[in-house]
């Protein structure tokens, strides 16, 4: 996953974004499979929003492919009380913004796209660095103790 230093950088970017766009009610960066990387979402359950973002992302990707519109870039949902906007953030993350109904949607897109690009750079760089770093050697479990390591994902 993304190291703590990069996660801090992502959170800093989310907080700067909320400072630049006062009508944002929350900002969340998540992996494309729905795991929270960082969030600034007061009063909102970040894990639930990240999981819903992953579900919406899956449908959006299929929709852009089925209609020949190319790769997914962004999704905008408007509810009675505001907007939810999701933007790509590199190759393995997304940025989801929660905005009040009075927001200037053009400004939302401008700032969301820029922040998504910066977050994507942070996350992609961290993941590339992690792939180049050799894994830590595993120690043998003590006699009689079960091995508690999780199975590794195939690469």
């Amino acid at each position: 996953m993304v190291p703590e230093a990069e996660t801090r950088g992502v959170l800093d970017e989310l907080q700067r974004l909320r400072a630049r766009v006062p009508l944002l009610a929350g900002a969340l960066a998540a992996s494309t499979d729905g795991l929270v990387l960082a969030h600034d979402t007061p009063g909102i359950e970040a894990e639930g929003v990240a999981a819903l973002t992953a579900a919406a992302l899956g449908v959006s990707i299929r929709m852009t492919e089925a209609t020949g519109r190319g790769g997914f870039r962004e999704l905008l949902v408007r509810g009675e009380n505001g907007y939810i906007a999701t933007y790509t953030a590199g190759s393995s993350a997304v940025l989801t913004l929660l905005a009040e109904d009075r927001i200037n949607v053009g400004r939302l897109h401008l700032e969301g796209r820029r922040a998504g690009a910066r977050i994507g750079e942070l996350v992609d760089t961290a993941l590339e660095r992690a792939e180049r770093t050799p894994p830590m050697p595993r120690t043998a479990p003590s006699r009689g103790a079960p091995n508690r390591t999780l199975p590794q994902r195939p690469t």
Side-chain angles (χ1 to χ4, degrees):
M1 201 59 187
V2 179
E4 187 176 330
E6 280 76 10
T7 299
R8 182 68 212 166
V10 171
L11 179 58
D12 290 344
E13 181 60 37
L14 296 179
Q15 291 171 338
R16 285 190 299 269
L17 176 62
R18 290 212 45 222
R20 284 192 311 272
V21 186
L23 294 177
L24 279 183
L28 172 130
S31 66
T32 54
D33 56 356
L35 299 175
V36 175
L37 300 176
H39 68 93
D40 184 9
T41 55
I44 304 289
E45 182 192 345
E47 292 78 15
V49 173
L52 289 168
T53 296
L57 179 64
V59 171
S60 298
I61 289 170
R62 300 245 343 238
M63 190 105 143
T64 58
E65 289 173 352
T67 58
R69 299 298 177 243
F72 172 81
R73 293 290 180 95
E74 59 195 40
L75 171 67
L76 180 67
V77 176
R78 183 176 183 196
E80 290 178 1
N81 298 319
Y83 295 88
I84 302 108
T86 299
Y87 303 91
T88 58
S91 62
S92 58
V94 290
L95 169 66
T96 295
L97 304 177
L98 310 174
E100 294 181 22
D101 193 45
R102 301 170 304 161
I103 198 161
N104 176 319
V105 177
R107 173 96 188 271
L108 175 67
H109 283 319
L110 176 70
E111 296 290 351
R113 290 169 186 153
R114 286 179 179 168
R118 285 189 290 271
I119 290 167
E121 289 174 12
L122 287 169
V123 172
D124 287 349
T125 300
L127 292 175
E128 288 170 11
R129 194 175 318 123
E131 288 175 1
R132 288 192 309 262
T133 304
M136 297 290 290
R138 293 187 185 188
T139 58
S142 61
R143 178 171 282 191
N147 186 347
R148 301 264 187 224
T149 59
L150 296 174
Q152 299 297 306
R153 280 189 176 169
T155 54

